[in-house]
Amino acid sequence: MDQALLIASVISVFALVQSVFGMGLLVFGTPTLLVLGLPFSDALGWLLPASVAISVIQVSGDAKHAQAVWKGGKPLLCIVPLAASLGIVLLFDFHTKIDLAIGLVMIAASAIRVNTALQQRIGRMIDRAERTYLVAMGILHGFTNMGGALLSVYAASINGTKHAVRATVSVYYLFFGMVQIAMLAVLRPEALGYHSLAAAATAAFVYAVAGRLVFHRASAVAYERAVTGFIAVYGVAVLAKASL
């Protein structure tokens, strides 16, 4: 199969995942494209526009919840740490092995989510150190493209409905993507091109055709269970990436 067609298939599959959970293209797409032999910056050139396209649709389609996420400017705490850490990666081809720790945390988080008492304790911990948590999330995302690991725990801990959870994830992922694309345009402009626009169009099409329908048909209970399972799979994906 032609590589471009294969990449388009990867984007289509994970765009459906992101349509439902607000994330998926980066966490699953990044390790997949690296396995296919793409450099890290090239993988970002394909995945970031696709991720941003879906996030824009989700944020604009759920303005009420999205505005609540933006209240207080909390996403802005990620700007400097995200840009600085991604800049180091792109300029010096620097990669960390912190993915291993993130993956283990995610698997533990999925187990904790089935225990209501522990879930409430984690929510209180995040509430007490929210700003520090958000800064750390930005740093991790810049270095590894896996800051969504912390984001999924954060979103599930501070929200009670599936719409609020996805809105939180979508707003932060939109913000992450915009900062990352800007950094890529400055430091690795060759990674962006017509293929980036094609990837964005593909992701938007998948959302319009199937993703939106799947999300709205999922019951609150089913969505909650799916989020827990998604976090677990997320952790496994991060561990798989760490082994590359």
Side-chain angles (χ1 to χ4, degrees):
M1 181 183 296
D2 178 76
Q3 187 182 52
L5 182 57
L6 183 58
I7 293 173
S9 299
V10 170
I11 290 174
S12 297
V13 171
F14 298 139
L16 179 59
V17 176
Q18 184 150 330
S19 296
V20 178
F21 297 106
M23 63 176 73
L25 273 163
L26 298 184
V27 65
F28 295 116
T30 301
T32 301
L33 295 191
L34 291 178
V35 168
L36 293 177
L38 271 69
F40 183 69
S41 58
D42 288 355
L44 292 183
W46 279 96
L47 297 171
L48 288 175
S51 177
V52 167
I54 292 181
S55 295
V56 167
I57 296 172
Q58 291 173 331
V59 169
S60 61
D62 195 359
K64 178 182 177 180
H65 289 100
Q67 288 174 359
V69 177
W70 277 110
K71 186 177 181 180
K74 291 178 182 177
L76 297 177
L77 293 171
C78 302
I79 285 182
V80 174
L82 173 58
S85 54
L86 179 57
I88 292 174
V89 173
L90 296 177
L91 285 173
F92 303 104
D93 196 28
F94 177 76
H95 297 277
T96 69
K97 287 301 180 182
I98 202 168
D99 294 359
L100 177 62
I102 297 175
L104 293 175
V105 169
M106 290 307 299
I107 292 175
S110 65
I112 292 172
R113 278 180 57 78
V114 301
N115 186 306
T116 303
L118 288 177
Q119 188 175 350
Q120 292 174 346
R121 289 181 60 184
I122 289 177
R124 290 193 294 269
M125 290 173 58
I126 291 177
D127 186 60
R128 288 196 298 268
E130 187 175 19
R131 292 180 177 274
T132 301
Y133 189 94
L134 294 176
V135 169
M137 185 168 67
I139 294 173
L140 291 175
H141 194 68
F143 275 131
T144 67
N145 217 28
M146 294 291 177
L150 298 185
L151 176 57
S152 61
V153 174
Y154 174 74
S157 297
I158 66 172
N159 296 297
T161 69
K162 68 175 186 178
H163 289 279
V165 169
R166 196 183 68 167
T168 298
V169 172
S170 298
V171 167
Y172 276 88
Y173 248 47
L174 173 59
F175 184 75
F176 285 173
M178 292 173 62
V179 173
Q180 288 176 286
I181 288 176
M183 292 297 294
L184 204 62
V186 172
L187 300 177
R188 289 286 188 276
E190 67 277 5
L192 298 169
Y194 290 115
H195 65 281
S196 304
L197 296 176
T202 298
F205 177 77
V206 170
Y207 178 87
V209 172
R212 179 171 50 186
L213 180 63
V214 173
F215 175 75
H216 286 295
R217 285 194 173 182
S219 67
V221 174
Y223 188 84
E224 179 70 14
R225 292 175 178 173
V227 169
T228 300
F230 179 74
I231 292 174
V233 175
Y234 205 130
V236 173
V238 174
L239 290 177
K241 179 179 179 294
S243 67
L244 294 177

